[in-house]
Amino acid sequence: MKETFAAYVVDKKAERVEGEITTLSAAQLAAGEVTIAVAYSSLNYKDALAATGQGGIVRHYPHVPGIDAAGTVVESQSPDVAVGDRVLVTGYDLGVGAFGGYAEYVRVPAAWVVQTPATLTTFEAMALGTAGFTAAMCLLAMERNGTRPDQGPILVTGATGGVGSVAVNVLAQQGYTVAASTGKADQHDYLRQLGASQILSREDVSLTGERLRPLLKGTWAGAVDTVGGATLSYLLRTADYGGNIALCGLVGGHDFAGTVIPFLLRGINLLGIDSVACPMAYRQTIWQRLATDLKPPHLDQIAQVITLRDLPGAIAAILQGQIKGRLLVAPQA
Ligand SMILES: NC(=O)c1ccc[n+]([C@@H]2O[C@H](COP(=O)([O-])OP(=O)(O)OC[C@H]3O[C@@H](n4cnc5c(N)ncnc54)[C@H](OP(=O)(O)O)[C@@H]3O)[C@@H](O)[C@H]2O)c1
């Protein structure tokens, strides 16, 4: 590996967290048995929070964000991982407590490393990244609870985002009727290309106010909710009998208004999704599924590549909900 290399480092200066491209050396990398030359990381909503000091995600500065990384192993002290292996890491403490993927190299514990499946290119692995992994977790959680394509439509919220785009594409490919809610009036064609057959606005799927009725017309067999907040309030009231709501995100807020009534009268299920601490055996199963039967057919349309220099603008845009699909970060570029 190179002695010094480029990284996007965020630091706290006078209570403001700001990032810049600087040079790091191997000695500054995190502890771990495996060093990876990063071909791609990606930009997730959580990365933008981490890079701007929001959400209490980063505890120590200076810090290198990037909760995803994929590339080739250049050093290994682990018998399970060899130099030259094509690997990926998502979640755990990557880009949170440990330096993440926005650098030419990342060092991680061997226990975090997943061998990139042979049927996924490194580009495809990061086009999926935490977002695609989470979308697959949502689908599998709904299916474990009995959701099947013939039971009715599935609503994906925040649909043009990273998790949302992959969820729309994977669900449609699996034969589900997919409805997508979006705040982007100019991206309906994109969502239809990914497989959505019905598009709703953010307002259509948001409920606020003190006098909310506990039940509205049962409409959705399931949902992948990346928004939370007033959208989750809507979903709880409109999930159809036995409906499964896979809740993974909070871009619309932490709090939601709801009653026990939909659970008692419609037997709905609210399924919490956590990709970060997902156990390794299940993690590997999900990556194998993403590399085979769950592989989204339109990853090329979903993902674009940016460089470390593009990060400040991209971070501001994702916090404003303006990014479409997935942004891969190429630290070597
Ligand atoms: N639980 C887990 O393990 C896990 C894993 C991955 C992600 N997440 C969470 O899932 C969420 C989505 O992540 P992501 O990386 O896909 O983010 P993203 O790419 O920024 O997508 C979020 C999408 O939500 C919509 N949106 C943005 N602000 C909104 C608002 N104020 N109200 C309603 N909708 C809004 C936008 O889509 P439209 O314009 O189409 O509406 C936006 O593109 C985040 O909260 C993230 O932290 C959780």
Side-chain angles (χ1 to χ4, degrees):
M1 67 180 287
K2 293 192 274 185
E3 275 179 25
T4 61
F5 52 87
Y8 185 79
V9 177
V10 296
D11 205 355
K12 203 170 195 173
K13 292 170 186 161
E15 294 311 304
R16 262 182 79 86
V17 174
E18 289 176 358
E20 60 178 358
I21 300 174
T22 51
T23 302
L24 294 183
S25 65
Q28 289 172 282
L29 288 176
E33 300 88 28
V34 178
T35 308
I36 303 164
V38 180
Y40 298 108
S41 181
S42 79
L43 179 63
N44 299 274
Y45 187 76
K46 186 174 175 183
D47 294 313
L49 295 177
T52 52
Q54 299 179 57
I57 289 169
V58 178
R59 295 175 294 277
H60 303 291
Y61 295 95
H63 177 68
V64 178
I67 63 170
D68 292 340
T72 306
V73 175
V74 292
E75 287 176 6
S76 176
Q77 271 81 54
S78 163
D80 302 323
V81 183
V83 170
D85 282 358
R86 234 165 35 85
V87 297
L88 65 91
V89 182
T90 66
Y92 296 107
D93 222 10
L94 187 70
V96 177
F99 281 9
Y102 297 170
E104 291 183 71
Y105 297 94
V106 69
R107 186 172 291 141
V108 295
W112 297 1
V113 174
V114 172
Q115 297 284 339
T116 303
T119 53
L120 278 185
T121 65
T122 300
F123 172 88
E124 289 170 335
M126 280 294 97
L128 292 162
T130 288
F133 184 81
T134 303
M137 284 189 85
C138 289
L139 169 64
L140 296 177
M142 289 191 291
E143 290 190 340
R144 254 198 323 276
N145 277 272
T147 303
R148 298 289 176 266
D150 61 1
Q151 288 167 346
I154 309 293
L155 176 60
V156 177
T157 68
T160 69
V163 177
S165 294
V166 180
V168 169
N169 206 209
V170 172
L171 283 159
Q173 200 217 13
Q174 296 299 304
Y176 287 92
T177 302
V178 183
S181 66
T182 182
K184 299 185 184 79
D186 58 344
Q187 295 300 339
H188 291 194
D189 286 349
Y190 167 74
L191 290 169
R192 288 192 194 282
Q193 279 159 17
L194 296 187
S197 53
Q198 185 186 354
I199 315 274
L200 296 95
S201 71
R202 275 191 206 165
E203 294 69 34
D204 289 338
V205 301
S206 297
L207 282 185
T208 52
E210 287 170 14
R211 291 167 156 269
L212 293 174
R213 286 163 55 194
L215 288 175
L216 296 169
K217 183 171 183 289
T219 306
W220 310 112
V224 173
D225 185 22
T226 72
V227 175
T231 295
L232 182 56
S233 300
Y234 163 86
L235 284 171
L236 292 170
R237 288 163 174 81
T238 56
D240 208 351
Y241 194 86
N244 289 309
I245 302 166
L247 170 64
C248 66
L250 45 60
V251 290
H254 303 77
D255 297 332
F256 60 94
T259 72
V260 296
I261 301 299
F263 297 93
L264 308 190
L265 297 190
R266 286 193 180 151
I268 70 160
N269 303 300
L270 182 55
L271 311 173
I273 303 297
D274 171 48
S275 65
V276 175
C278 174
M280 184 47 92
Y282 189 45
R283 191 177 283 263
Q284 285 169 337
T285 301
I286 292 173
W287 278 110
Q288 282 304 332
R289 298 277 314 261
L290 281 167
T292 52
D293 62 316
L294 295 187
K295 189 171 176 179
H298 293 109
L299 275 182
D300 282 351
Q301 262 170 276
I302 292 172
Q304 293 175 59
V305 179
I306 64 170
T307 67
L308 295 181
R309 290 182 296 284
D310 301 319
L311 273 172
I315 287 165
I318 203 169
L319 288 173
Q320 302 287 319
Q322 288 167 358
I323 298 290
K324 179 187 81 174
R326 297 270 300 142
L327 290 185
L328 274 64
V329 181
Q332 319 267 352

